Amino acid sequence: MKKNYYALTFISEDRPGIVAKVSKILYENNFNIEDSSSTLLRGFFSMILIVSCSEDYKINKIKKKFAPLVKELGMAISVRKIDKLKTLPSGETYVISVYGADKPGIVFKVADFLANNEINIVDLQTKVAGSDEKPVYIMVLEVIIPEDFKNKNWSEELKEIAKNINTDISIRHIETYEL
């Protein structure tokens, strides 16, 4: 049986029950949740889902299924059809943690270095912790170094960038296991 894939995103002010309500609509319409990520960002709950079903829906038909929930929660939704699923790039996985005084440019400087070195960011989380008087920016990235990667000094170069923007950085290799 052919599967049809869709990427759905939802953003709403946080409240209990959002996941239950979204997943109920998916369940009742024979969608299977293939992959998902959700988080709370400064009071806003966001979900990204890759779902599949046997029916070849038009995007507007999927949006109509969620219309009552969108109205009830004041939720933003987007739907995109996916023609072909991609697998994770192959290579070595690392977790990079960056800590420092909150200021503009931390994400850009690190992400720009990674992009210029063809290092793929597969997950990114940021938070501001600490107090209002002394905020601390925390950024954690999961990256994949390609198998044929040539720059053996990448971690030292990235540490130099972190030093130049007055942040601390930790780079840790992660062993992955296939199930």
Side-chain angles (χ1 to χ4, degrees):
M1 178 186 318
K2 182 180 184 284
K3 284 185 175 181
N4 297 288
Y5 295 95
Y6 303 90
L8 309 177
T9 61
F10 302 90
I11 300 173
S12 173
E13 282 189 41
D14 188 42
R15 66 185 75 184
I18 296 171
V19 174
K21 289 178 179 183
V22 168
S23 60
K24 180 181 180 188
I25 293 170
L26 293 170
Y27 173 70
E28 290 175 345
N29 289 282
N30 299 314
F31 285 95
N32 186 42
I33 299 173
E34 302 271 341
D35 205 355
S36 69
S37 180
S38 60
T39 193
L40 184 62
L41 302 169
R42 300 272 173 142
F44 283 86
F45 185 76
S46 62
M47 295 175 63
I48 303 171
L49 306 136
I50 303 297
V51 299
S52 66
C53 68
S54 58
E55 189 165 336
D56 188 12
Y57 284 110
K58 299 285 184 200
I59 289 173
N60 283 339
K61 191 169 183 180
I62 294 173
K63 285 184 174 180
K64 280 184 181 176
K65 293 181 181 304
F66 288 95
L69 185 61
V70 166
K71 185 175 181 181
E72 175 191 342
L73 301 179
M75 175 182 276
I77 179 175
S78 71
V79 178
R80 178 179 175 180
K81 184 161 184 160
I82 300 173
D83 295 325
K84 184 178 178 185
L85 291 180
K86 292 184 174 184
T87 57
L88 274 177
S90 60
E92 298 288 321
T93 302
Y94 287 81
V95 170
I96 301 169
S97 304
V98 181
Y99 302 88
D102 186 25
K103 60 183 168 274
I106 295 173
V107 174
F108 168 70
K109 296 282 186 178
V110 172
D112 188 53
F113 171 82
L114 297 172
N116 288 331
N117 281 279
E118 300 292 322
I119 297 173
N120 197 11
I121 298 171
V122 294
D123 193 33
L124 167 66
Q125 302 283 321
T126 63
K127 292 279 181 206
V128 177
S131 64
D132 288 341
E133 297 79 33
K134 198 170 183 177
V136 176
Y137 196 77
I138 303 167
M139 176 171 67
V140 180
L141 307 102
E142 183 178 328
V143 302
I144 296 181
I145 306 295
E147 289 176 350
D148 59 349
F149 194 64
K150 304 265 188 285
N151 183 357
K152 301 299 179 200
N153 295 323
W154 73 272
S155 63
E156 295 308 315
E157 292 174 11
L158 186 55
K159 287 177 183 175
E160 188 64 29
I161 288 171
K163 183 180 172 186
N164 290 339
I165 56 175
N166 297 318
T167 58
D168 294 323
I169 190 167
S170 165
I171 302 170
R172 190 166 39 104
H173 183 251
I174 301 294
E175 294 292 329
T176 56
Y177 302 96
E178 301 226 2
L179 299 176

